[in-house]
Amino acid sequence: MPEEVRRWRQEVEDEQHTRAVAGLDRRWNHPRFAVESMAVTRSDDREDPIVEIRFSPADYFTFLAAQQLDRPLEEGDGAGQTLREHYLDGRDPVLVNGFLSSSFGANVAVVTGRDQKLLFSRRSATVGGNAGNWNSSANEGLSGEHDLKDGAPDLFGAARRALREELAVHEGDRCELELLSFAMDVERHQWAAFFLAVLPDLSEDQLRDRWSRGIHDKWEHSEFRFVPAEPDDVLSFMLSPEVRGHWTACGPALFQHAQVRLMTQRLGDAGKGRLAVERAIDRTVARLADTGE
């Protein structure tokens, strides 16, 4: 990390300490991971896709310092440029210095198996980023404290923790969890892994009943919406006037990937699954244009 950004991190730490002494809400520091590199290749025998991610240790205050992407640098060869201009603009985001990549989130799209509904969650006003926006069903940042398995970061473990802490989906619940893809919010330079979680034994009513008795991270979401897991219904909700302008960067991409996967499973062909979702997009956009929405 450049020395100037180290000082920004110290500013963050000092500010949060001052807020703690004053008895105010504050952010707490905790171990995280920075993405150093990502390589995509295939296995030698069956040519299965392989993604290799190299992580290094980081923490939340480093993330907050590096998120000041539009703050001008005052020293060195980047003086006068913002952090974004000096390190990101015109560069491959995969190859950027790891200190800027101190955020990796597991984002999960949840489908209830008993009534086949897709769950959307709205972030509360108290969260650190994207407050008030609609997002994945559940999400967690990859933690250096909670998400280690055999000494390595456990992406599936982070996804299961998100389900447990935010939606009260317990370890004993059946959960068909599948990694769909990797993504990046290029505006904020934040990495993500997209998951689909099908809960064969649970319904909307059963989940809401659980939430009424308490959720570990109840404060993270202010609203939930269950929508039939059909492309036309999902797209009608996502593009409806009341929510259209209130999405995180990753939310729409996650649910598009989830819908393609669900339709692929139903139709037995990846091409047909993608085509079914794309046709639903065309129908929904045309309908909204006809109605002036």
Side-chain angles (χ1 to χ4, degrees), residues 41-261:
T41 182
R42 291 187 179 275
S43 61
D44 293 332
D45 48 356
R46 295 176 15 181
E47 296 190 0
D48 292 327
I50 296 174
V51 178
E52 181 181 273
I53 307 173
R54 294 183 179 272
F55 292 99
S56 63
D59 60 29
Y60 188 60
F61 287 171
T62 296
F63 162 70
L64 291 179
Q67 278 291 284
Q68 301 178 68
L69 292 171
D70 297 313
R71 179 174 175 175
L73 295 160
E74 298 179 358
E75 303 173 357
D77 58 356
Q81 293 182 308
T82 65
L83 200 64
R84 184 191 308 277
E85 290 169 339
H86 188 60
Y87 287 101
L88 294 179
D89 285 355
R91 304 190 182 197
D92 184 342
V94 178
L95 304 178
V96 167
N97 187 308
F99 84 89
L100 285 167
S101 304
S102 300
S103 175
F104 193 105
N107 291 260
V108 189
V110 169
V111 177
T112 54
R114 288 201 167 183
D115 49 8
Q116 290 295 299
K117 291 184 179 180
L118 191 58
L119 171 60
F120 297 87
S121 301
R122 189 172 193 176
R123 293 173 65 80
S124 73
T126 62
V127 295
N130 283 305
N133 285 333
W134 289 92
N135 194 27
S136 52
S137 310
N139 69 93
E140 280 289 349
L142 190 61
S143 168
E145 180 177 358
H146 302 293
D147 302 320
L148 285 173
K149 183 177 181 180
D150 299 327
D154 181 6
L155 305 187
F156 281 82
R160 293 188 182 95
R161 182 166 61 87
L163 293 171
R164 182 176 66 253
E165 295 183 357
E166 297 181 11
L167 300 180
V169 176
H170 308 307
E171 295 292 342
D173 291 317
R174 282 203 300 157
C175 176
E176 299 168 3
L177 185 64
E178 183 176 5
L179 175 62
L180 299 177
S181 53
F182 295 98
M184 175 184 281
D185 175 351
V186 294
E187 178 66 23
R188 294 178 172 82
H189 196 73
Q190 296 180 14
W191 285 94
F194 289 169
F195 290 86
L196 172 64
V198 178
L199 309 176
D201 303 324
L202 294 174
S203 66
E204 173 184 352
D205 289 343
Q206 288 173 306
L207 278 177
R208 289 191 181 276
D209 183 58
R210 286 188 181 186
W211 302 340
S212 71
R213 296 191 292 271
I215 311 174
H216 186 277
D217 283 346
K218 184 177 179 63
W219 55 272
E220 293 226 6
H221 300 128
S222 61
E223 186 178 355
F224 296 103
R225 193 76 61 88
F226 287 84
V227 176
E230 298 291 338
D232 290 275
D233 295 287
V234 169
L235 288 160
S236 292
F237 169 73
M238 294 178 65
L239 294 175
S240 59
E242 67 269 22
V243 304
R244 186 186 305 160
H246 303 283
W247 285 99
T248 66
C250 286
L254 165 66
F255 289 113
Q256 194 269 348
H257 290 190
Q259 281 289 284
V260 168
R261 182 57 181 154

